[in-house]
Amino acid sequence: MDSIVIHGGNRLNGQIEVSGAKNSAIKLMAASILTDQPLLLTNMPRLADTRFLGQLLQQFGVQVTERHGADGQETLFHAPELTSTFAPYDLVRQMRASFNVLGPLLARSGEAKVSLPGGCTIGARPVDLHLMALTAMGAQIELEEGYVSAHAPKGLQGAEIEFPFVSVGATEHALLAAVLANGTTVLKRAAREPEIGDLARCLIAMGAKIEGLDTDVLTITGVSSLNGTTWSVIPDRIEMGSYALAAAMAGGEVRLTKGRADLITALTDKMIEAGVEVESTADGVIVRRDPAQRLKAVNVTTEIYPGFATDLQAQFMALMTTAEGTSVIHENIFENRFMHAPELARLGADISVHAGEAHVRGVETLHGAPVMATDLRASISLVMAGLVADGETTVGRVYHLDRGFERMEEKLGACGADVRRVKGGADEH
């Protein structure tokens, strides 16, 4: 199993190009099921998750062609006909978001059988809201032996759906299903994440009729068919925020390009409060910090967008481990999302966790040690801590990292970090 080895102490100086957003790309890929015409996605990230979903789409007869284009990596999806509507456990278990093929398969074919998802260990995250929305649209749903069997022989029907709480996955899933439903669907208490706006705008370019973009009420008027289109995936705000925090932690000056500063305002506000210099640019941000100046502890609370993103909580906690004072971090989105805390403690961090609240008392120095990644965002937080820890830090189970960060060692290494991958126990230079 691969690991990442970091020798701490180097400042970061240089430029990092932000990749396309994983959380947008995988839902845009699912949209290819909805049309028999080609969908070309540009600015595509090359990640384990997009590879997994590509394999699943091929199971349905979708033709998947990766290539290099003018906007970097791009992938062409074409499903002239669906040859299967069955999504087996072995493919779905590798990534939770692949469950979102259920709605598009049902919308186009009137039937689907999809495994209940596996996924990472940051809480239960059940799919009951997904099934509630599809049932409201007339789907007949049965759960049997770990699979969801769904039928809508007369097609899905428009419905008014009010979610009991905000759910990004359920909003995206209902949106993907509703665009081909008969009649009008209204989604109330819809999530407003930028990735949902990206999906909705792509669907509109494919011929869908959607109103209320970027609000918590989406109105979708179903159409009989969708066309293909070319769509550029939105920049990855979580990758962008992670590298901004890495630059703040290690010190130096890093320019993040091909990004959008407006997507991480909640984060950069907190970084500035802590003493980091952040400058917005036309295509991203510049992060500067003199490592001789110790950061100040800042409290954060994770919230639904546009609040502070739960997917940046672990990284911000890493930043606070060497800040002056005590930071209180409230996690309101996912239970069990402090599993990185004991691993950071192995590096010398002083963290105590009580239910959904963590107290981080800043220490002057972290010390290298072997640590283990528990999920995707925890992985990058441990790499960040390793950038400033004395000596050598080895991060194990980095297959989590590969799900969401493209060429991380290369990007950090180009800015001066001493970071390398060890493959299966043999050093890869």
Side-chain angles (χ1 to χ4, degrees), residues 110 236 366:
D236 195 318
L366 297 178

Side-chain angles (χ1 to χ4, degrees), residues 58-336:
Q58 289 173 322
Q59 165 90 10
F60 309 138
V62 182
Q63 301 162 17
V64 180
T65 307
E66 294 185 357
R67 63 197 193 194
H68 194 79
D71 195 20
Q73 183 71 16
E74 61 184 35
T75 309
L76 181 67
F77 302 89
H78 190 198
E81 62 175 341
L82 297 180
T83 57
S84 171
T85 57
F86 174 60
Y89 172 69
D90 282 349
L91 291 176
V92 177
R93 71 178 177 84
Q94 299 182 74
M95 182 184 57
R96 277 191 59 82
S98 58
F99 183 73
N100 283 39
V101 301
L102 175 63
L105 288 173
L106 195 56
R108 182 169 169 184
S109 296
E111 62 178 17
K113 184 175 181 179
V114 176
S115 169
L116 287 166
C120 53
T121 54
I122 57 171
R125 297 198 290 174
V127 295
D128 52 345
L129 295 189
H130 300 234
L131 301 182
M132 177 204 80
L134 294 174
T135 300
M137 284 187 265
Q140 302 163 14
I141 304 257
E142 293 182 4
L143 301 179
E144 52 186 13
E145 298 179 346
Y147 281 86
V148 176
S149 291
H151 297 272
K154 296 182 180 180
L156 294 173
Q157 307 298 316
E160 184 170 302
I161 300 164
E162 182 167 357
F163 296 111
F165 55 87
V166 174
S167 167
V168 173
T171 300
E172 292 166 330
H173 205 164
L175 179 59
L176 283 163
V179 290
L180 291 182
N182 300 310
T184 299
T185 299
V186 180
L187 305 180
K188 297 183 177 179
R189 203 172 286 142
R192 294 184 292 152
E193 268 67 10
E195 295 78 16
I196 293 172
D198 198 33
L199 173 62
R201 288 174 173 86
C202 177
L203 289 169
I204 290 170
M206 295 169 70
K209 296 180 179 179
I210 305 169
E211 298 176 351
L213 272 65
D214 305 319
T215 75
D216 62 357
V217 178
L218 293 173
T219 302
I220 306 104
T221 302
V223 295
S224 59
S225 64
L226 294 178
N227 50 262
T229 193
T230 297
W231 193 258
S232 180
V233 179
I234 196 173
D236 195 318
R237 61 193 171 98
I238 305 304
E239 184 196 42
M240 185 179 182
S242 298
Y243 287 131
L245 287 165
M249 191 159 190
E253 179 175 321
V254 174
R255 176 185 290 268
L256 298 168
T257 63
K258 289 188 70 175
R260 279 176 45 190
D262 64 296
L263 298 179
I264 57 169
T265 302
L267 170 67
T268 54
D269 285 350
K270 289 295 183 179
M271 290 173 63
I272 292 168
E273 187 180 339
V276 181
E277 186 179 346
V278 181
E279 177 187 339
S280 296
T281 65
D283 70 340
V285 297
I286 299 172
V287 179
R288 300 185 190 91
R289 186 174 84 84
D290 179 356
Q293 301 295 317
R294 196 172 177 193
L295 295 174
K296 299 186 291 289
V298 172
N299 299 336
V300 299
T301 299
T302 63
E303 299 172 324
I304 59 174
Y305 190 82
F308 194 98
T310 180
D311 280 352
L312 289 169
Q313 177 261 109
Q315 300 90 306
F316 197 84
M317 180 183 288
L319 183 71
M320 291 293 98
T321 59
T322 56
E324 186 173 9
T326 299
S327 171
V328 180
I329 298 176
H330 294 269
E331 175 54 64
N332 287 331
I333 308 299
F334 290 129
E335 71 269 35
N336 300 341

Side-chain angles (χ1 to χ4, degrees), residues 340-380:
H340 46 279
E343 297 301 308
L344 287 169
R346 287 180 51 77
L347 301 173
D350 185 353
I351 305 169
S352 56
V353 175
H354 306 282
E357 183 175 290
H359 291 248
V360 186
R361 289 164 287 276
V363 297
E364 291 193 8
T365 309
L366 297 178
H367 305 281
V371 290
M372 197 71 71
T374 54
D375 59 73
L376 170 54
R377 308 310 175 184
S379 306
I380 193 68

